[in-house]
Amino acid sequence: QRSCEITTAQPGKESSASSSARRVSTSRSLVGSSSSKRLPPLRSDGDGEQTRDMVYVGDIVDSNIIASLNKAKISGDIFNIGTGKSYSNNDILDLLRERFEIKIINAPERVGDVRHTRAEISKSREILGFTSKVDLREGLDKTIAWWSTNEE
């Protein structure tokens, strides 16, 4: 079974299936088969309008490469890596609905959950020259393609 977690880290909180950003678990056969495009049920907390800045893993890799090539200039500094755009959980579910049959399990809003987050990326752009290249839709497509061609 393959698992991909679309989530944001929250200090002191463990990522889980109940995190407001969706955990998408799927098997290679579900994604790789044209006859079956069904995912296990996904949980949606509250009204689904909480937002997160979703960045593709390849962009994170690129930012780390850029940083490693500029060690003398940035040593010990901290940079936010993201897109600078927020997507609601409902936006993410809509993108998944375009690609798969999904069932949503509605749950109450999580107590203490941050309603909206978005990375402040101006420092990364100005000092590192980094801007994310892959938007949410393309990143999701690349991730699904990876699932369908890679084995555990």
Side-chain angles (χ1 to χ4, degrees), residues 13-24:
K13 290 190 177 181
E14 185 178 313
S15 293
S16 70
S18 64
S19 63
S20 57
R22 298 298 155 292
R23 171 178 279 188
V24 179

Side-chain angles (χ1 to χ4, degrees), residues 74-133:
I74 63 166
S75 182
D77 215 341
I78 298 171
F79 296 85
N80 288 329
I81 301 300
T83 63
K85 299 174 189 165
S86 291
Y87 299 93
S88 75
N89 290 337
N90 289 331
D91 293 336
I92 297 165
L93 290 174
D94 288 344
L95 290 173
L96 291 170
R97 278 188 194 97
E98 291 174 9
R99 292 154 178 81
F100 301 99
E101 292 176 36
I102 59 173
K103 177 183 178 184
I104 307 299
I105 297 171
N106 293 307
E109 184 174 332
R110 292 186 326 145
V111 175
D113 194 14
V114 176
R115 185 76 174 158
H116 302 290
T117 64
R118 185 185 74 226
E120 167 39 67
I121 59 171
S122 60
K123 183 177 173 184
S124 298
R125 188 175 44 243
E126 292 164 11
I127 296 174
L128 294 178
F130 174 79
T131 303
S132 64
K133 296 174 185 75

Side-chain angles (χ1 to χ4, degrees), residues 27-99:
S27 71
R28 183 173 187 258
S29 61
L30 289 176
V31 175
S33 169
S34 59
S35 62
S36 175
K37 294 186 97 179
R38 185 176 306 228
L39 291 176
L42 303 177
R43 179 178 167 152
S44 179
D45 296 331
D47 63 5
E49 288 303 308
Q50 53 276 55
T51 60
R52 302 291 182 265
D53 186 331
M54 301 297 199
V55 61
Y56 180 63
V57 67
D59 283 338
I60 295 170
V61 170
D62 290 347
S63 71
N64 279 276
I65 291 169
I66 291 168
S68 72
L69 297 173
N70 291 289
K71 283 192 284 192
K73 182 172 151 183
I74 63 166
S75 182
D77 215 341
I78 298 171
F79 296 85
N80 288 329
I81 301 300
T83 63
K85 299 174 189 165
S86 291
Y87 299 93
S88 75
N89 290 337
N90 289 331
D91 293 336
I92 297 165
L93 290 174
D94 288 344
L95 290 173
L96 291 170
R97 278 188 194 97
E98 291 174 9
R99 292 154 178 81

